[in-house]
Amino acid sequence: MTSLDFSLCDADNHYYESRDAFTRHADRKMAGRCMQWATIGGKERLLVGGKVQHFIANPTFDPVARPGCLDDYFRGKVAKSDMREAFGELVPIPPEYRDRDARLTVMDDQGLEACFMFPTLGVGMEEALSHDLPAAAAAFRAFNRWVEEDWGFAYQGRIYAVPYITLVDLDMAIEELEWALSRDVRTLCMRAGPVHTVGGTVSPADPRFDPFW
């Protein structure tokens, strides 16, 4: 077997957002329209635009599912009628899910040279704020500062965390892109679908977005 003179790069890692991922750098004037936390029925719930979000059952990610817990499910080796049952017993969130230096140690053990890290909770939040476009733009501006601060866009040349950019506000999208590029970002996360605008949804390929592209 031919040996390789390079290690693997995982192009589909994910970070588990911290509790303050959307709030640490939030504009206080927009707080009530963006993300907030509340204790409801003894459980921590994430409010988005003042409503409990249901995109992820436990947005605190603690406890969390074990790695690979759905492998047998997707291979058709087990029959589970309830997806929650298929996840099995949850475990306390490991340090490497939220700490970049702990993640590098695990990557060393796994033989990974580098990885791209995408949002988990974040990918559902643009749609959750589609009714309030200024709030969506503000929320992701705050979110991207958290990504850069906690993970870095090119940490030690190995962890390439990915910011989320929305086109709901073109001027802000361009500002966010330029800000991220100035910090050595390598790739972006964007909603794979129509862009919400004040006049309705339009294609991201619409000429109005040419200044961004």
Side-chain angles (χ1 to χ4, degrees), residues 147-167:
V147 176
E148 197 273 338
E149 190 168 273
D150 273 27
W151 289 99
F153 297 143
Y155 186 62
Q156 294 192 16
R158 298 185 65 191
I159 293 179
Y160 301 103
V162 178
Y164 188 109
I165 293 186
T166 172
L167 292 173

Side-chain angles (χ1 to χ4, degrees), residues 73-153:
Y73 175 83
F74 285 118
R75 291 177 185 274
K77 295 181 178 180
V78 295
K80 302 286 187 181
S81 58
D82 187 339
M83 178 62 77
R84 290 174 296 182
E85 182 183 355
F87 277 109
E89 183 178 357
L90 303 180
V91 297
I93 189 167
E96 63 268 21
Y97 283 17
R98 284 184 167 154
D99 181 274
R100 58 190 181 182
D101 291 312
R103 188 60 159 245
L104 285 175
T105 298
V106 172
M107 289 168 60
D108 289 339
D109 293 341
Q110 295 174 338
L112 288 178
E113 174 63 27
C115 68
F116 289 102
M117 299 193 71
F118 293 88
T120 302
L121 174 67
V123 296
M125 296 299 99
E126 181 174 354
E127 183 62 28
L129 285 171
S130 61
H131 65 286
D132 188 345
L133 303 186
F140 282 106
R141 169 165 280 184
F143 178 77
N144 290 336
R145 273 68 188 163
W146 168 81
V147 176
E148 197 273 338
E149 190 168 273
D150 273 27
W151 289 99
F153 297 143

